[in-house]
Amino acid sequence: AEVCGSVRGRREIIADIDVLVATDDPAAVMERFVSLPEASSVVQHGETKSEIILESGLQCDLRAVTKEQYPFALHYFTGSKEHNVAMRALARKAGMKLNEYGLFKTDGDERVPCGSEEEIFRALGLDYIEPELRENMGEMEAAARGGLPRLLEMGDLRGIVHMHSTYTDGRAAIEDMARAAKKLGFYWIAMTDHSQAVSIAGGMKPDDLLRQIDEIDELNSRLDGFRVLKGVEVDIMQDGSLDFENSLLSKLDLVIAAVHSRFGMSEKEMTGRIVRALSSPHVDVLAHPTGRLLLSREPYALDMNAVIEAAAKNGKAIEINAHPQRLDLDWRWCKAAKEAGVKIAISPDAHSPESLSDIAYGVGIARKGWLEKGDVINCLEAGELLSFLSGGKR
Protein backbone atom coordinates (compact mmCIF):
# COMPACT_ATOMS: atom_id res chain seq x y z
CA ALA A 1 0.00 0.00 0.00
CA GLU A 2 1.15 3.53 -0.73
CA VAL A 3 -0.12 7.10 -0.56
CA CYS A 4 -0.17 8.50 -4.10
CA GLY A 5 -1.24 11.71 -5.78
CA SER A 6 -0.22 15.17 -4.65
CA VAL A 7 0.80 13.93 -1.20
CA ARG A 8 3.43 11.56 -2.61
CA GLY A 9 4.53 14.23 -5.07
CA ARG A 10 4.93 16.73 -2.18
CA ARG A 11 2.67 19.35 -3.72
CA GLU A 12 2.21 22.45 -1.58
CA ILE A 13 -1.60 22.17 -1.77
CA ILE A 14 -3.62 18.95 -1.94
CA ALA A 15 -7.29 18.41 -2.70
CA ASP A 16 -7.58 14.91 -1.25
CA ILE A 17 -5.57 11.85 -0.21
CA ASP A 18 -5.19 9.00 -2.70
CA VAL A 19 -4.25 5.57 -1.36
CA LEU A 20 -3.44 2.55 -3.52
CA VAL A 21 -3.34 -1.04 -2.30
CA ALA A 22 -2.43 -4.31 -3.98
CA THR A 23 -4.64 -7.15 -2.78
CA ASP A 24 -6.28 -10.41 -3.81
CA ASP A 25 -9.24 -9.66 -1.54
CA PRO A 26 -10.40 -6.12 -2.44
CA ALA A 27 -13.84 -6.56 -0.88
CA ALA A 28 -12.35 -7.14 2.57
CA VAL A 29 -9.99 -4.19 2.17
CA MET A 30 -12.84 -1.87 1.14
CA GLU A 31 -15.00 -3.01 4.03
CA ARG A 32 -12.19 -2.29 6.49
CA PHE A 33 -11.48 1.11 4.89
CA VAL A 34 -15.03 2.48 5.11
CA SER A 35 -15.31 1.35 8.74
CA LEU A 36 -12.15 3.09 9.92
CA PRO A 37 -12.73 5.17 13.08
CA GLU A 38 -11.23 8.21 11.27
CA ALA A 39 -14.07 8.15 8.72
CA SER A 40 -16.77 10.67 9.55
CA SER A 41 -18.82 9.72 6.49
CA VAL A 42 -18.71 7.40 3.46
CA VAL A 43 -19.03 8.97 0.02
CA GLN A 44 -18.69 5.78 -2.00
CA HIS A 45 -18.25 2.10 -1.12
CA GLY A 46 -17.38 0.06 -4.18
CA GLU A 47 -15.65 -3.21 -5.00
CA THR A 48 -12.33 -1.66 -6.02
CA LYS A 49 -12.74 2.01 -5.09
CA SER A 50 -14.13 3.72 -2.00
CA GLU A 51 -14.17 7.29 -0.75
CA ILE A 52 -14.52 8.58 2.79
CA ILE A 53 -14.50 11.99 4.46
CA LEU A 54 -12.04 12.08 7.33
CA GLU A 55 -12.76 13.79 10.64
CA SER A 56 -10.48 16.61 9.44
CA GLY A 57 -12.87 17.26 6.53
CA LEU A 58 -10.42 15.98 3.93
CA GLN A 59 -11.52 13.34 1.44
CA CYS A 60 -9.55 10.10 1.24
CA ASP A 61 -9.89 7.76 -1.76
CA LEU A 62 -8.78 4.13 -1.80
CA ARG A 63 -8.21 2.06 -4.92
CA ALA A 64 -7.50 -1.66 -4.97
CA VAL A 65 -5.59 -3.35 -7.80
CA THR A 66 -3.90 -6.69 -8.41
CA LYS A 67 -0.25 -7.14 -7.51
CA GLU A 68 0.55 -7.33 -11.23
CA GLN A 69 -1.12 -3.98 -11.86
CA TYR A 70 0.27 -2.30 -8.76
CA PRO A 71 3.51 -0.70 -10.15
CA PHE A 72 1.63 0.80 -13.10
CA ALA A 73 -1.25 2.05 -10.95
CA LEU A 74 1.25 3.49 -8.45
CA HIS A 75 2.95 5.46 -11.22
CA TYR A 76 -0.32 6.58 -12.79
CA PHE A 77 -2.07 7.69 -9.60
CA THR A 78 1.04 9.48 -8.35
CA GLY A 79 1.05 11.74 -11.42
CA SER A 80 1.36 14.52 -12.19
CA LYS A 81 -1.00 14.59 -15.16
CA GLU A 82 1.65 16.39 -17.24
CA HIS A 83 4.26 13.76 -16.39
CA ASN A 84 1.89 10.91 -17.21
CA VAL A 85 1.03 12.40 -20.61
CA ALA A 86 4.72 12.72 -21.44
CA MET A 87 5.42 9.15 -20.29
CA ARG A 88 2.62 7.79 -22.48
CA ALA A 89 4.00 9.73 -25.44
CA LEU A 90 7.46 8.28 -24.82
CA ALA A 91 5.98 4.78 -24.67
CA ARG A 92 4.20 5.30 -28.00
CA LYS A 93 7.45 6.48 -29.57
CA ALA A 94 9.04 3.23 -28.38
CA GLY A 95 6.22 1.14 -29.88
CA MET A 96 4.47 0.51 -26.57
CA LYS A 97 1.35 1.55 -24.69
CA LEU A 98 1.42 2.65 -21.04
CA ASN A 99 -1.59 3.05 -18.76
CA GLU A 100 -2.58 2.35 -15.18
CA TYR A 101 -2.98 -1.36 -15.93
CA GLY A 102 0.33 -2.14 -17.57
CA LEU A 103 2.92 -1.58 -20.29
CA PHE A 104 2.14 -3.33 -23.57
CA LYS A 105 3.75 -3.82 -26.94
CA THR A 106 1.36 -2.27 -29.44
CA ASP A 107 2.05 -4.84 -32.15
CA GLY A 108 0.06 -7.46 -30.28
CA ASP A 109 -0.85 -6.18 -26.82
CA GLU A 110 1.88 -8.35 -25.31
CA ARG A 111 2.45 -7.30 -21.69
CA VAL A 112 5.90 -6.01 -20.76
CA PRO A 113 6.43 -7.36 -17.23
CA CYS A 114 7.49 -4.77 -14.65
CA GLY A 115 7.65 -5.60 -10.97
CA SER A 116 8.27 -2.03 -9.80
CA GLU A 117 8.18 1.60 -10.87
CA GLU A 118 11.94 1.39 -11.40
CA GLU A 119 11.39 -1.32 -14.01
CA ILE A 120 8.77 0.78 -15.82
CA PHE A 121 11.23 3.65 -16.21
CA ARG A 122 14.00 1.25 -17.22
CA ALA A 123 11.80 -0.31 -19.91
CA LEU A 124 11.44 3.17 -21.43
CA GLY A 125 15.15 3.91 -21.27
CA LEU A 126 15.00 6.17 -18.22
CA ASP A 127 16.62 6.28 -14.81
CA TYR A 128 14.17 6.11 -11.91
CA ILE A 129 12.44 9.47 -11.40
CA GLU A 130 11.56 10.30 -7.80
CA PRO A 131 7.85 11.14 -7.26
CA GLU A 132 8.61 14.76 -6.33
CA LEU A 133 10.16 15.42 -9.75
CA ARG A 134 7.31 14.10 -11.86
CA GLU A 135 6.05 17.40 -13.26
CA ASN A 136 7.25 17.24 -16.89
CA MET A 137 9.71 20.02 -16.12
CA GLY A 138 12.84 18.43 -17.55
CA GLU A 139 12.96 15.29 -15.42
CA MET A 140 12.48 12.88 -18.33
CA GLU A 141 15.24 14.44 -20.40
CA ALA A 142 17.55 14.33 -17.37
CA ALA A 143 16.59 10.70 -16.69
CA ALA A 144 17.36 9.76 -20.30
CA ARG A 145 20.91 11.14 -20.09
CA GLY A 146 21.65 10.01 -16.52
CA GLY A 147 21.51 13.56 -15.22
CA LEU A 148 18.98 13.42 -12.38
CA PRO A 149 20.04 14.93 -9.03
CA ARG A 150 20.61 12.88 -5.90
CA LEU A 151 17.84 14.54 -3.97
CA LEU A 152 18.23 15.89 -0.46
CA GLU A 153 17.14 13.59 2.37
CA MET A 154 16.14 14.38 5.95
CA GLY A 155 19.21 12.54 7.19
CA ASP A 156 21.47 15.01 5.36
CA LEU A 157 20.43 17.87 7.64
CA ARG A 158 22.67 18.77 10.57
CA GLY A 159 20.98 21.88 11.92
CA ILE A 160 17.92 24.11 11.88
CA VAL A 161 17.71 27.76 10.86
CA HIS A 162 14.91 30.18 11.92
CA MET A 163 12.98 29.72 15.12
CA HIS A 164 11.50 31.82 17.91
CA SER A 165 11.57 31.71 21.68
CA THR A 166 9.74 33.40 24.54
CA TYR A 167 11.86 36.46 23.87
CA THR A 168 9.25 37.23 21.18
CA ASP A 169 6.26 35.18 20.03
CA GLY A 170 7.65 31.70 20.65
CA ARG A 171 6.15 29.43 23.28
CA ALA A 172 9.33 27.89 24.71
CA ALA A 173 12.64 28.99 26.17
CA ILE A 174 15.82 28.85 24.09
CA GLU A 175 17.14 25.87 26.05
CA ASP A 176 13.90 23.96 25.50
CA MET A 177 14.13 24.56 21.75
CA ALA A 178 17.77 23.46 21.72
CA ARG A 179 17.15 20.27 23.64
CA ALA A 180 14.14 19.42 21.46
CA ALA A 181 16.25 19.86 18.32
CA LYS A 182 19.00 17.70 19.79
CA LYS A 183 16.45 15.00 20.61
CA LEU A 184 15.37 15.06 16.95
CA GLY A 185 18.96 14.29 15.93
CA PHE A 186 20.23 17.76 15.03
CA TYR A 187 23.56 19.25 16.11
CA TRP A 188 22.87 22.98 16.04
CA ILE A 189 20.13 25.56 15.80
CA ALA A 190 20.08 29.24 14.90
CA MET A 191 17.87 31.22 17.29
CA THR A 192 16.29 34.07 15.32
CA ASP A 193 13.69 36.00 17.27
CA HIS A 194 11.97 39.02 15.73
CA SER A 195 13.47 42.50 15.71
CA GLN A 196 11.71 45.49 17.21
CA ALA A 197 9.62 46.55 14.17
CA VAL A 198 7.36 43.50 14.53
CA SER A 199 5.65 44.81 17.64
CA ILE A 200 2.68 42.50 17.16
CA ALA A 201 5.05 39.57 17.72
CA GLY A 202 6.80 41.23 20.67
CA GLY A 203 9.87 42.16 18.64
CA MET A 204 13.08 42.54 20.63
CA LYS A 205 14.65 45.87 21.50
CA PRO A 206 18.46 46.07 21.17
CA ASP A 207 18.90 45.45 24.90
CA ASP A 208 16.76 42.31 24.65
CA LEU A 209 18.99 40.94 21.90
CA LEU A 210 22.14 41.69 23.92
CA ARG A 211 20.62 39.86 26.87
CA GLN A 212 19.77 36.92 24.60
CA ILE A 213 23.35 36.81 23.30
CA ASP A 214 24.62 36.44 26.88
CA GLU A 215 22.06 33.72 27.60
CA ILE A 216 23.10 31.76 24.51
CA ASP A 217 26.79 32.00 25.45
CA GLU A 218 25.99 30.60 28.88
CA LEU A 219 23.81 27.86 27.39
CA ASN A 220 26.51 26.80 24.93
CA SER A 221 28.92 26.36 27.83
CA ARG A 222 26.59 23.67 29.21
CA LEU A 223 25.39 21.90 26.06
CA ASP A 224 27.40 18.84 25.10
CA GLY A 225 27.77 18.13 21.39
CA PHE A 226 25.29 20.82 20.43
CA ARG A 227 25.50 24.51 19.61
CA VAL A 228 23.05 27.41 19.56
CA LEU A 229 23.97 30.06 17.01
CA LYS A 230 23.14 33.66 17.86
CA GLY A 231 20.85 35.21 15.30
CA VAL A 232 17.86 37.42 14.60
CA GLU A 233 15.03 37.75 12.12
CA VAL A 234 15.57 41.40 11.28
CA ASP A 235 12.87 43.35 9.50
CA ILE A 236 13.48 44.83 6.06
CA MET A 237 12.12 48.35 6.29
CA GLN A 238 10.20 50.08 3.51
CA ASP A 239 13.34 51.60 2.01
CA GLY A 240 15.35 48.35 2.22
CA SER A 241 17.29 49.33 5.34
CA LEU A 242 17.39 47.00 8.34
CA ASP A 243 15.60 47.29 11.67
CA PHE A 244 18.81 47.03 13.75
CA GLU A 245 22.08 48.93 13.47
CA ASN A 246 25.03 47.19 11.82
CA SER A 247 27.01 47.43 15.06
CA LEU A 248 24.42 45.18 16.74
CA LEU A 249 24.04 42.77 13.83
CA SER A 250 27.80 42.29 13.71
CA LYS A 251 27.65 40.59 17.13
CA LEU A 252 25.56 37.73 15.70
CA ASP A 253 26.44 34.47 13.99
CA LEU A 254 23.57 34.56 11.50
CA VAL A 255 21.06 37.17 10.37
CA ILE A 256 17.93 36.41 8.41
CA ALA A 257 16.05 39.32 6.89
CA ALA A 258 12.32 39.39 6.22
CA VAL A 259 9.48 41.57 4.99
CA HIS A 260 6.57 41.79 7.43
CA SER A 261 4.89 45.05 6.39
CA ARG A 262 3.64 47.12 3.45
CA PHE A 263 2.87 44.12 1.22
CA GLY A 264 1.02 46.34 -1.25
CA MET A 265 4.12 47.95 -2.73
CA SER A 266 4.58 47.80 -6.51
CA GLU A 267 6.77 45.07 -8.00
CA LYS A 268 9.53 47.59 -8.71
CA GLU A 269 9.41 49.02 -5.19
CA MET A 270 9.27 45.65 -3.41
CA THR A 271 12.04 44.20 -5.56
CA GLY A 272 14.25 47.22 -4.90
CA ARG A 273 13.49 46.99 -1.20
CA ILE A 274 14.62 43.37 -0.96
CA VAL A 275 17.59 43.76 -3.31
CA ARG A 276 18.91 46.61 -1.15
CA ALA A 277 18.62 44.46 1.97
CA LEU A 278 20.54 41.67 0.24
CA SER A 279 23.41 44.08 -0.40
CA SER A 280 24.01 44.42 3.35
CA PRO A 281 27.13 42.55 4.52
CA HIS A 282 25.25 41.65 7.70
CA VAL A 283 22.40 39.72 6.06
CA ASP A 284 22.88 36.00 5.46
CA VAL A 285 19.45 34.60 4.58
CA LEU A 286 16.30 36.04 2.98
CA ALA A 287 13.29 34.60 4.83
CA HIS A 288 9.93 33.62 3.26
CA PRO A 289 10.81 35.64 0.15
CA THR A 290 7.36 36.17 -1.37
CA GLY A 291 5.32 36.56 1.82
CA ARG A 292 2.59 34.18 0.72
CA LEU A 293 0.26 32.30 3.05
CA LEU A 294 -1.21 29.33 1.21
CA LEU A 295 -4.96 29.55 0.59
CA SER A 296 -5.20 32.88 2.42
CA ARG A 297 -2.66 35.47 1.16
CA GLU A 298 -1.19 35.87 -2.31
CA PRO A 299 2.54 36.60 -2.74
CA TYR A 300 3.42 40.26 -2.93
CA ALA A 301 4.49 41.62 -6.31
CA LEU A 302 8.14 40.68 -6.80
CA ASP A 303 10.67 40.11 -9.59
CA MET A 304 12.03 36.83 -8.26
CA ASN A 305 14.63 36.58 -11.01
CA ALA A 306 16.10 39.89 -9.82
CA VAL A 307 16.04 38.71 -6.20
CA ILE A 308 17.83 35.47 -7.08
CA GLU A 309 20.39 37.44 -9.09
CA ALA A 310 21.00 39.76 -6.11
CA ALA A 311 21.35 36.80 -3.74
CA ALA A 312 23.88 35.18 -6.07
CA LYS A 313 25.84 38.42 -6.49
CA ASN A 314 26.04 39.05 -2.73
CA GLY A 315 26.50 35.46 -1.58
CA LYS A 316 23.21 35.23 0.29
CA ALA A 317 21.03 32.21 0.94
CA ILE A 318 17.27 32.13 0.33
CA GLU A 319 14.93 30.37 2.69
CA ILE A 320 12.43 27.63 2.07
CA ASN A 321 10.11 28.42 4.94
CA ALA A 322 8.78 24.99 5.89
CA HIS A 323 5.78 26.22 7.85
CA PRO A 324 2.84 24.41 6.21
CA GLN A 325 1.04 27.71 5.55
CA ARG A 326 4.03 29.18 3.72
CA LEU A 327 6.28 26.67 1.86
CA ASP A 328 8.00 29.75 0.50
CA LEU A 329 10.33 29.77 -1.56
CA ASP A 330 7.98 28.02 -4.01
CA TRP A 331 9.51 24.82 -5.38
CA ARG A 332 9.28 26.15 -8.94
CA TRP A 333 11.94 28.74 -8.08
CA CYS A 334 14.31 26.35 -6.29
CA LYS A 335 15.83 25.04 -9.50
CA ALA A 336 16.48 28.58 -10.75
CA ALA A 337 18.17 29.48 -7.46
CA LYS A 338 20.29 26.33 -7.62
CA GLU A 339 21.36 27.07 -11.20
CA ALA A 340 22.34 30.61 -10.14
CA GLY A 341 24.53 29.21 -7.37
CA VAL A 342 22.31 30.44 -4.53
CA LYS A 343 22.34 28.31 -1.39
CA ILE A 344 19.08 27.42 0.33
CA ALA A 345 18.21 27.43 4.04
CA ILE A 346 15.37 25.14 5.10
CA SER A 347 13.56 26.63 8.07
CA PRO A 348 10.56 25.46 10.12
CA ASP A 349 9.95 29.00 11.44
CA ALA A 350 9.28 27.11 14.66
CA HIS A 351 7.45 28.75 17.56
CA SER A 352 7.43 25.64 19.76
CA PRO A 353 9.49 22.46 20.18
CA GLU A 354 6.75 20.48 18.43
CA SER A 355 6.86 22.66 15.31
CA LEU A 356 10.57 21.97 14.75
CA SER A 357 9.47 18.81 12.93
CA ASP A 358 7.79 20.97 10.27
CA ILE A 359 11.22 21.08 8.66
CA ALA A 360 10.24 17.82 6.93
CA TYR A 361 7.79 19.76 4.75
CA GLY A 362 10.64 22.01 3.66
CA VAL A 363 12.72 18.98 2.71
CA GLY A 364 9.81 17.83 0.52
CA ILE A 365 9.74 21.22 -1.23
CA ALA A 366 13.53 21.15 -1.64
CA ARG A 367 13.34 17.71 -3.24
CA LYS A 368 10.59 18.90 -5.54
CA GLY A 369 12.88 21.79 -6.50
CA TRP A 370 15.74 19.44 -7.52
CA LEU A 371 17.92 20.35 -4.53
CA GLU A 372 20.79 18.19 -3.32
CA LYS A 373 22.77 18.06 -0.09
CA GLY A 374 25.35 20.53 -1.36
CA ASP A 375 22.68 23.14 -2.11
CA VAL A 376 21.42 23.45 1.47
CA ILE A 377 23.23 25.21 4.32
CA ASN A 378 21.45 23.08 6.93
CA CYS A 379 23.68 20.21 5.80
CA LEU A 380 26.80 21.94 7.12
CA GLU A 381 28.24 21.37 10.57
CA ALA A 382 28.03 24.43 12.81
CA GLY A 383 31.69 25.30 12.28
CA GLU A 384 31.39 24.84 8.54
CA LEU A 385 28.34 27.09 8.46
CA LEU A 386 30.15 29.84 10.39
CA SER A 387 33.06 29.62 7.96
CA PHE A 388 30.67 29.84 5.03
CA LEU A 389 28.88 32.85 6.49
CA SER A 390 32.09 34.71 7.29
CA GLY A 391 33.84 33.90 4.03
CA GLY A 392 34.30 37.36 2.57
CA LYS A 393 30.90 38.61 3.74
CA ARG A 394 31.29 39.55 7.39
Side-chain angles (χ1 to χ4, degrees), residues 120-150:
I120 298 173
F121 286 111
R122 195 177 306 129
L124 296 175
L126 303 176
D127 289 343
Y128 176 70
I129 301 174
E130 296 284 358
E132 296 93 334
L133 298 184
R134 300 177 194 175
E135 296 288 347
N136 195 28
M137 294 179 66
E139 74 274 9
M140 292 176 60
E141 294 80 359
R145 65 174 185 270
L148 288 170
R150 181 195 174 279

Side-chain angles (χ1 to χ4, degrees), residues 271-384:
T271 302
R273 176 184 183 181
I274 292 175
V275 166
R276 181 185 173 192
L278 290 174
S279 70
S280 168
H282 298 283
V283 169
D284 300 300
V285 180
L286 174 64
H288 41 76
T290 72
R292 77 177 184 188
L293 293 177
L294 294 170
L295 301 177
S296 64
R297 186 173 74 202
E298 291 297 313
Y300 35 69
L302 189 66
D303 182 349
M304 184 53 68
N305 283 312
V307 170
I308 290 173
E309 182 181 346
K313 177 183 176 182
N314 294 292
K316 312 301 184 185
I318 295 179
E319 176 186 82
I320 294 176
N321 190 294
H323 190 287
Q325 287 183 294
R326 290 189 183 271
L327 302 180
D328 177 19
L329 186 68
D330 188 285
W331 62 268
R332 297 162 186 83
W333 285 108
C334 289
K335 196 175 178 184
K338 173 188 174 82
E339 291 169 353
V342 174
K343 299 298 184 184
I344 298 296
I346 301 178
S347 313
D349 200 350
H351 288 68
S352 68
E354 295 76 21
S355 58
L356 289 170
S357 58
D358 285 349
I359 198 167
Y361 299 119
V363 171
I365 294 298
R367 288 173 61 85
K368 199 162 187 64
W370 294 58
L371 299 187
E372 302 175 83
K373 179 179 179 180
D375 301 317
V376 178
I377 66 172
N378 304 67
C379 299
L380 299 173
E381 301 291 352
E384 293 173 330

Side-chain angles (χ1 to χ4, degrees), residues 89-371:
L90 181 63
R92 286 194 299 271
K93 189 175 180 181
M96 292 183 280
K97 179 178 69 175
L98 175 66
N99 57 33
E100 62 265 46
Y101 304 108
L103 181 64
F104 308 91
K105 294 182 179 179
T106 54
D107 58 359
D109 277 350
E110 177 187 348
R111 180 180 291 272
V112 179
C114 296
S116 65
E117 283 187 317
E118 288 86 345
E119 292 181 20
I120 298 173
F121 286 111
R122 195 177 306 129
L124 296 175
L126 303 176
D127 289 343
Y128 176 70
I129 301 174
E130 296 284 358
E132 296 93 334
L133 298 184
R134 300 177 194 175
E135 296 288 347
N136 195 28
M137 294 179 66
E139 74 274 9
M140 292 176 60
E141 294 80 359
R145 65 174 185 270
L148 288 170
R150 181 195 174 279
L151 296 181
L152 178 75
E153 298 178 1
M154 270 294 296
D156 294 328
L157 272 56
R158 308 297 285 174
I160 305 178
V161 180
H162 195 165
M163 64 189 63
H164 302 274
S165 74
T166 49
Y167 271 80
T168 56
D169 59 345
R171 297 189 294 276
I174 297 172
E175 182 168 356
D176 294 334
M177 297 295 284
R179 295 197 180 280
K182 185 177 181 181
K183 189 174 182 180
L184 290 172
F186 294 99
Y187 295 88
W188 56 266
I189 60 171
M191 180 55 60
T192 53
D193 275 305
H194 289 290
S195 65
Q196 56 195 349
V198 193
S199 56
I200 193 172
M204 294 185 294
K205 302 294 185 184
D207 286 347
D208 297 324
L209 181 54
L210 291 172
R211 181 163 50 89
Q212 186 180 90
I213 288 172
D214 291 339
E215 180 179 331
I216 290 173
D217 283 338
E218 190 278 329
L219 178 58
N220 280 330
S221 71
R222 294 188 285 107
L223 291 174
D224 182 28
F226 193 89
R227 182 166 181 175
V228 179
L229 301 182
K230 293 166 282 191
V232 72
E233 182 179 8
V234 65
D235 252 48
I236 301 173
M237 310 308 284
Q238 184 177 359
D239 63 356
S241 62
L242 303 176
D243 190 24
F244 280 151
E245 296 293 333
N246 290 342
S247 58
L248 181 57
L249 297 177
S250 66
K251 299 178 183 295
L252 302 170
D253 297 316
L254 181 142
V255 174
I256 59 176
V259 170
H260 288 109
S261 63
R262 299 188 180 274
F263 294 162
M265 296 173 69
S266 70
E267 178 180 305
K268 182 179 179 180
E269 291 171 329
M270 184 64 81
T271 302
R273 176 184 183 181
I274 292 175
V275 166
R276 181 185 173 192
L278 290 174
S279 70
S280 168
H282 298 283
V283 169
D284 300 300
V285 180
L286 174 64
H288 41 76
T290 72
R292 77 177 184 188
L293 293 177
L294 294 170
L295 301 177
S296 64
R297 186 173 74 202
E298 291 297 313
Y300 35 69
L302 189 66
D303 182 349
M304 184 53 68
N305 283 312
V307 170
I308 290 173
E309 182 181 346
K313 177 183 176 182
N314 294 292
K316 312 301 184 185
I318 295 179
E319 176 186 82
I320 294 176
N321 190 294
H323 190 287
Q325 287 183 294
R326 290 189 183 271
L327 302 180
D328 177 19
L329 186 68
D330 188 285
W331 62 268
R332 297 162 186 83
W333 285 108
C334 289
K335 196 175 178 184
K338 173 188 174 82
E339 291 169 353
V342 174
K343 299 298 184 184
I344 298 296
I346 301 178
S347 313
D349 200 350
H351 288 68
S352 68
E354 295 76 21
S355 58
L356 289 170
S357 58
D358 285 349
I359 198 167
Y361 299 119
V363 171
I365 294 298
R367 288 173 61 85
K368 199 162 187 64
W370 294 58
L371 299 187

